[in-house]
Amino acid sequence: MATALWIAHVTVTDEDAYMKYAALATEAIAQHGGSFLARGGQAIQKEGRAHPRNVVARFPSLEAANACYESDIYQEALSHARGASERDLVLVEELG
């Protein structure tokens, strides 16, 4: 089974609320076998809309990445991110 990536581009607009999101999201990702490959850090925007925060996590499968997103804990995390950030998120299967 191919692994999958969770790729998020984020602009935080409310740091306090977003920190609550980040704590719960970190827990949800770990519970679903995910691990972070990039989390913030320097980036060079070459095309498209720039966001100051870029996050990449690897999951054991696309199904695990999607189950994480749909989990109760991640949905609770999202309740803190809504209104506290502008986000783009894609789940993508890696080449096997």
Side-chain angles (χ1 to χ4, degrees):
M1 183 176 294
T3 56
L5 299 175
W6 171 308
I7 304 169
H9 307 289
V10 183
T11 299
V12 175
T13 57
D14 180 339
E15 192 69 38
D16 291 336
Y18 197 79
M19 293 306 289
K20 293 175 186 175
Y21 158 80
L24 289 168
T26 297
E27 187 177 337
I29 288 168
Q31 285 180 6
H32 289 85
S35 61
F36 289 100
L37 302 178
R39 195 171 192 184
Q42 292 186 332
I44 299 171
Q45 184 71 30
K46 292 293 191 176
E47 297 183 24
R49 187 172 65 137
H51 289 280
R53 184 171 177 81
N54 299 284
V55 179
V56 180
R58 176 175 284 133
F59 287 84
S61 66
L62 188 58
E63 292 78 10
N66 193 55
C68 178
Y69 186 87
E70 293 179 1
S71 70
D72 290 341
I73 189 168
Y74 190 75
Q75 291 302 305
E76 181 183 348
L78 276 179
S79 74
H80 298 288
R82 290 186 186 102
S85 62
E86 297 173 12
R87 302 159 29 92
D88 297 313
L89 174 66
V90 63
L91 312 179
V92 62
E93 192 171 65
E94 286 190 273
L95 293 174

